[in-house]
Amino acid sequence: MKASLAPGSRAMTDLLARADLLPSLEEIGFATLGYGCTSCVGNSGELTTAAEDLLARHPGMTGAAVLSGNRNFANRIHVKVSANYLASPPLVVAAALAGSVALDLSSDVLGVDMQGREVRLADIWPAPGDAEAILAASKDWPDPAAGLFVDRRWSELPAHRGQRFAWDESSLTIRGPPLSTRLPPGPSCHYAMLLCCCGWETVSRPITSP
């Protein structure tokens, strides 16, 4: 089993640290490895050696992942992981502790504690009001992003000012979409044709967008 933590921003890492939750997450493998769409675009790195060997020895076995992102297409997390399930962050942690998706997280045993006692989801689920108390306390914490962009070189970078983005036709990375300039003027579009009709289970937006 491999775990990874990729918050949406450094503010979330700061929140977890101030709430004293980050050390516990790191202890069970959820150390911050990046931000944004790190995991859901396959940038969380290779699988563990044990997982690689297991899948190699059993060609019929399906690699699975549980994630709190919004993309669960086959092979999106990793080329060898084709079954991906979306869940809330606490359930992702619960699945990681269990080390399997072939169980009922709401009632089955996730593992055993230091004393050998069985641990279920109800034993580790936050009590009512715990999350609300942390969020209420966070309102008084200083903004973690306040000092991120104080570097003089960052402030002196040239930036276009205006209501619309200044497209650079010579750019090799960001260019204006040609669709808006090729369409004939008018409120409606005529003679539009279907380019591709694909099954949702096997084709994702990143595949079709190029």
Side-chain angles (χ1 to χ4, degrees):
M1 192 280 300
K2 173 184 176 178
S4 64
L5 175 62
S9 68
R10 290 179 60 174
M12 179 53 65
T13 303
D14 184 79
L15 175 63
L16 293 172
R18 290 172 181 266
D20 200 28
L21 296 174
L22 198 57
S24 297
L25 289 170
E26 292 175 343
E27 189 174 348
I28 58 176
F30 286 94
T32 302
L33 55 81
Y35 294 95
C37 298
T38 301
S39 297
C40 62
V41 296
N43 288 337
S44 59
E46 294 300 322
L47 302 178
T48 63
T49 302
E52 293 270 7
D53 293 343
L54 185 63
L55 292 173
R57 293 198 309 269
H58 302 278
M61 181 176 289
T62 300
V66 182
L67 63 149
S68 63
N70 60 358
R71 296 181 178 92
N72 62 331
F73 309 118
N75 310 115
R76 183 67 184 261
I77 306 302
H78 190 276
V79 67
K80 297 181 180 179
V81 177
S82 56
N84 302 297
Y85 302 94
L86 301 181
S88 64
L91 291 180
V92 172
V93 174
L97 292 174
S100 172
V101 296
L103 77 170
D104 185 347
L105 292 179
S106 65
S107 58
D108 290 347
V109 176
L110 304 180
V112 295
D113 62 13
M114 299 292 291
Q115 287 72 42
R117 295 172 297 191
E118 294 181 344
V119 177
R120 289 177 168 80
L121 184 64
D123 300 320
I124 61 174
W125 197 261
D130 284 354
E132 289 80 359
I134 292 176
L135 291 176
S138 69
K139 295 180 180 179
D140 300 325
W141 298 340
D143 183 4
L148 292 180
F149 303 115
V150 295
D151 188 275
R152 175 181 56 82
R153 293 169 297 179
W154 174 269
S155 303
E156 293 178 353
L157 286 175
H160 172 75
R161 298 183 181 276
Q163 295 183 348
R164 295 186 177 183
F165 186 80
W167 298 106
D168 183 2
E169 294 300 327
S170 63
S171 174
L172 298 178
T173 55
I174 302 179
R175 294 185 180 182
L179 182 62
S180 59
T181 57
R182 293 178 182 175
L183 286 177
S188 60
C189 179
H190 300 282
Y191 307 111
M193 299 181 66
L194 180 66
L195 296 179
C196 182
C197 182
C198 306
W200 173 257
E201 291 82 2
T202 57
V203 178
S204 64
R205 183 193 64 190
I207 298 174
T208 59
S209 59

